[in-house]
């Protein structure tokens, strides 16, 4: 029986998504209350519109994966913010070829590191990878598959949509959303 390695989830409260509103002292992430207060000052009175993050297709950003729990904020989504300097915005379905490529460029995703809680990935895992490393793998012919609906629109700052489409494993019900 094959045993799949997993990322050990830290104990304690879940991380707070940051980057859209508020901020603490010394660069500390805002707590939910400070974020709500900051957002309240930006919206007209009575406006209850929800702030959402968008995917590369222009729709609402969908979750990428929870087994292992992915995302810069370990919330299952490829959300991003100021602390995410690597731009972990592409929802990749990793392959052996992609994992080998990442290891060859110094991004070892297959060697377990128990002291940090990282136990490695296996082909088929979904993971929010950095746009730059995915793009490099694409240029080298080793790109991972991409879940477009779960890939943050900020990935387009580094990677052209056409390259992401070339490796897409999800197809939206309305193909017109893929437009040019």
């Amino acid at each position: 029986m094959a045993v799949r390695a997993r990322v050990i989830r830290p104990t304690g409260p879940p991380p707070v998504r940051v980057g859209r509103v508020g901020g603490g002292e010394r660069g500390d992430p805002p707590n939910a209350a400070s974020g709500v207060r900051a957002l309240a000052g930006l919206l007209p009175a009575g406006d209850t519109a929800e702030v959402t993050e968008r995917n590369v297709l222009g729709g609402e950003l969908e979750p990428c994966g929870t087994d292992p729990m992915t995302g810069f904020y370990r919330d299952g989504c490829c959300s991003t913010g100021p602390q995410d300097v690597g731009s972990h915005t592409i929802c990749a379905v990793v392959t052996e070829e992609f994992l080998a490529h990442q290891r060859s460029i110094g991004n070892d995703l297959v060697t377990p590191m128990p002291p940090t809680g990282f136990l490695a990935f296996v082909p088929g895992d979904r993971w929010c990878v950095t746009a730059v490393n995915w793009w490099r793998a694409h240029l080298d012919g080793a790109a991972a598959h991409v879940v477009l609906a779960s890939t943050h629109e900020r990935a387009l700052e580094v990677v052209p949509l056409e390259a992401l489409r070339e490796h897409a494993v999800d197809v939206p019900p309305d193909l017109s959303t893929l437009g040019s």
Side-chain angles (χ1 to χ4, degrees):
M1 178 173 139
V3 176
R4 291 176 53 108
R6 290 284 145 230
V7 175
I8 297 174
R9 291 169 187 82
T11 58
V16 176
R17 275 196 195 179
V18 295
R20 288 180 270 166
V21 294
E25 295 180 22
R26 302 180 320 274
D28 295 337
N31 61 33
S34 70
V36 169
R37 284 192 304 273
L39 184 58
L42 299 175
L43 297 174
D47 189 342
T48 58
E50 184 177 326
V51 176
T52 59
E53 294 183 306
R54 312 306 285 169
N55 63 39
V56 294
L57 300 175
E60 188 171 337
L61 185 65
E62 294 181 12
C64 178
T66 57
D67 185 22
M69 185 62 76
T70 191
F72 180 78
Y73 300 110
R74 295 299 186 266
D75 60 0
C77 291
C78 295
S79 303
T80 191
Q83 291 81 5
D84 181 16
V85 295
S87 187
H88 294 78
T89 52
I90 296 181
C91 181
V93 181
V94 300
T95 62
E96 258 184 69
E97 186 177 29
F98 178 78
L99 293 169
H101 178 271
Q102 293 301 291
R103 189 173 191 184
S104 77
I105 65 169
N107 185 26
D108 188 353
L109 301 173
V110 297
T111 301
M113 293 180 277
T116 65
F118 180 76
L119 295 182
F121 294 107
V122 296
D125 284 343
R126 287 184 176 203
W127 195 248
C128 296
V129 300
T130 66
V132 169
N133 280 351
W134 186 91
W135 179 240
R136 186 168 175 187
H138 170 76
L139 294 175
D140 292 342
H145 303 296
V146 176
V147 181
L148 297 174
S150 302
T151 296
H152 197 283
E153 66 185 347
R154 295 242 357 241
L156 297 175
E157 294 173 5
V158 176
V159 179
L161 181 57
E162 195 53 44
L164 295 170
R165 284 184 190 162
E166 187 179 324
H167 300 281
V169 291
D170 60 334
V171 179
D174 178 5
L175 295 179
S176 69
T177 63
L178 292 176
S180 48

